[in-house]
Amino acid sequence: GENVEQHPSTLSVQEGDSAVIKCTYSDSASNYFPWYKQELGKRPQLIIDIRSNVGEKKDQRIAVTLNKTAKHFSLHITETQPEDSAVYFCAAIFTGGGNKLTFGTGTQLKVEL
Amino acid sequence: SAVISQKPSRDICQRGTSLTIQCQVDSQVTMMFWYRQQPGQSLTLIATANQGSEATYESGFVIDKFPISRPNLTFSTLTVSNMSPEDSSIYLCSVGGAAGQGYEQYFGPGTRLTVT
């Protein structure tokens, strides 16, 4: 089955700096890669996603890049703000195999003033 | 995105008892899933809730322990049976395949279960 590795497990940045979280996946058939943000005590929220036919996608201060050959994808947050502090999870899906999400282990991002 | 609710939001149960968690969506969805999230951990898929047929369970999860129903395209239940303290966790449903959407999946607010 699919295996998703995520690094780093914790990340601390100064407000205004950029943050990058990286994930690798094992199943070359995976074709959809969402990112979720989970604040303490809240549900995971979908913040951005990318399909395998696209190399990069941006939405304001967040972007995701995908390297299919290397089987890794990354989340980039620019101009970080305190409200970006949360746990971020990457995930991978093979949409031809039941659309089951396999999650990474999560990254605790702390944005310091 | 669809509005997803779960009941109960939290519960404290005694070992050996069972708890049924409900997941309700405000629109029809093709996919419904149940996840478990232990404290400080990632999310683990328990099963896919199939409308009108038996759920599909992931390795390590069995129907006798986690029976699932999905009578229609907007509702599903997960029962945690014969509970032990190791079942203390957050249980979340997720949905996908709503009209006008692609592969996106959205989560319910979760049910925080504590087993004493």
Side-chain angles (χ1 to χ4, degrees):
Chain A
E2 176 68 278
N3 182 51
V4 178
E5 294 188 357
Q6 183 171 347
H7 300 280
S9 57
T10 61
L11 180 59
S12 186
V13 300
Q14 294 292 315
E15 183 180 9
D17 288 350
S18 295
V20 181
I21 302 170
K22 299 180 179 180
C23 290
T24 60
Y25 60 98
S26 61
D27 188 351
S28 57
S30 292
N31 56 353
Y32 173 68
F33 307 91
W35 285 87
Y36 289 85
K37 174 184 180 182
Q38 188 174 31
E39 297 176 84
L40 190 63
K42 301 285 184 62
R43 75 185 82 186
Q45 287 194 306
L46 179 66
I47 57 171
I48 196 167
D49 56 13
I50 192 167
R51 301 188 186 187
S52 58
N53 59 348
V54 175
E56 183 176 0
K57 183 177 179 180
K58 273 187 170 182
D59 183 3
Q60 299 183 349
R61 294 188 298 108
I62 61 173
V64 57
T65 59
L66 171 66
N67 183 325
K68 280 171 44 180
T69 303
K71 290 192 282 187
H72 67 70
F73 56 112
S74 299
L75 177 71
H76 305 253
I77 307 174
T78 60
E79 301 172 26
T80 53
Q81 302 168 3
E83 51 265 38
D84 294 328
S85 296
V87 179
Y88 292 81
F89 293 100
C90 63
I93 286 180
F94 168 47
T95 59
N99 283 26
K100 298 183 294 185
L101 282 167
T102 299
F103 282 88
T105 49
T107 297
Q108 174 75 62
L109 173 64
K110 184 176 180 182
V111 179
E112 297 177 330
L113 296 172
Chain B
S1 61
V3 175
I4 310 164
S5 60
Q6 280 186 237
K7 288 197 290 189
S9 58
R10 58 178 62 224
D11 208 340
I12 301 172
C13 301
Q14 290 191 339
R15 68 175 68 203
T17 63
S18 297
L19 176 72
T20 296
I21 303 167
Q22 299 179 2
C23 179
Q24 178 77 55
V25 194
D26 70 341
S27 59
Q28 292 186 340
V29 293
T30 55
M31 296 174 288
M32 294 184 82
F33 304 91
W34 287 97
Y35 288 83
R36 182 172 73 183
Q37 185 175 31
Q38 296 181 308
Q41 302 295 311
S42 185
L43 295 94
T44 301
L45 180 64
I46 298 171
T48 302
N50 300 309
Q51 194 261 329
S53 64
E54 196 170 281
T56 305
Y57 290 85
E58 297 301 304
S59 175
F61 298 96
V62 295
I63 188 171
D64 289 346
K65 177 67 176 177
F66 297 102
I68 288 170
S69 78
R70 188 174 173 197
N72 55 51
L73 293 177
T74 63
F75 185 78
S76 178
T77 67
L78 168 75
T79 299
V80 186
S81 304
N82 188 25
M83 288 184 284
S84 67
E86 293 72 36
D87 295 319
S88 297
S89 189
I90 297 173
Y91 293 85
L92 301 110
C93 66
S94 78
V95 305
Q101 293 180 354
Y103 303 137
E104 299 90 338
Q105 290 187 27
Y106 299 94
F107 284 86
T111 296
R112 182 179 295 272
L113 171 62
T114 302
V115 183
T116 60

